[in-house]
Amino acid sequence: MYGKPIRVNKATSDKKTLDVGANLFVGNLDSDVDEKLLYDAFSAFGVIVATPKIMRDPDSGNSRGFGFVSYDTFEASDAAIDAMNGQFLCNRAITVTYAYKKDTKGERHGTSAERLLAQQTKRSNDE
């Protein structure tokens, strides 16, 4: 461009392929639970695509008692829900369900349509 060579890189869609929608809400967390403990407790079920996020009060930095974990497959998230919902973490029984989707009216992750899209995306990436 303007007499100078330009370098063109192939666009990446890594972020899109990683987030299949297998996002879990983890509630009733003890204030002692941090991101590492959440990761350690949930990584046994599959590949976690992003560091677990514990929601915190912006002023004090204290835990608000819930967080989120995202897996690379629905099989892993289903296994985590089955195994961890109602289990004790730091002496508190936690609740584990699919998280509500952003910008929707009460729709949760883990729907059959979302699973089908994830399956098709995986198939096209494998080819």
Side-chain angles (χ1 to χ4, degrees), residues 63-126:
S63 171
R64 291 175 55 198
F66 65 95
F68 299 93
V69 179
S70 297
Y71 286 99
D72 67 338
T73 65
F74 284 105
E75 291 80 11
S77 59
D78 289 340
I81 290 172
D82 291 342
M84 295 298 289
N85 189 36
Q87 294 298 312
F88 283 80
L89 198 59
C90 290
N91 296 320
R92 283 179 90 170
I94 60 172
T95 58
V96 183
T97 60
Y98 278 104
Y100 286 108
K101 293 181 180 182
K102 291 180 182 174
D103 305 324
T104 63
K105 290 186 175 10
E107 188 180 348
R108 290 187 186 266
H109 285 283
T111 62
S112 56
E114 204 170 34
R115 290 169 187 267
L116 182 62
L117 281 172
Q119 193 176 34
Q120 290 173 342
T121 302
K122 183 180 184 316
R123 211 176 295 136
S124 66
N125 286 342
D126 290 344

Side-chain angles (χ1 to χ4, degrees), residues 1-9:
M1 187 168 250
Y2 301 108
K4 296 181 181 177
I6 61 170
R7 183 170 57 182
V8 178
N9 293 330

Side-chain angles (χ1 to χ4, degrees), residues 7-83:
R7 183 170 57 182
V8 178
N9 293 330
K10 180 181 170 191
T12 61
S13 61
D14 290 347
K15 185 71 174 162
K16 264 197 154 100
T17 58
L18 286 177
D19 188 10
V20 296
N23 304 325
L24 301 182
F25 169 84
V26 184
N28 199 33
L29 292 175
D30 188 89
S31 59
D32 291 339
V33 175
D34 62 3
E35 285 80 356
K36 182 181 181 338
L37 181 58
L38 211 54
Y39 181 89
D40 291 345
F42 282 84
S43 62
F45 305 103
V47 176
I48 295 176
V49 295
T51 304
K53 184 158 182 65
I54 293 178
M55 304 311 290
R56 299 185 180 280
D57 181 275
D59 299 324
S60 67
N62 294 334
S63 171
R64 291 175 55 198
F66 65 95
F68 299 93
V69 179
S70 297
Y71 286 99
D72 67 338
T73 65
F74 284 105
E75 291 80 11
S77 59
D78 289 340
I81 290 172
D82 291 342

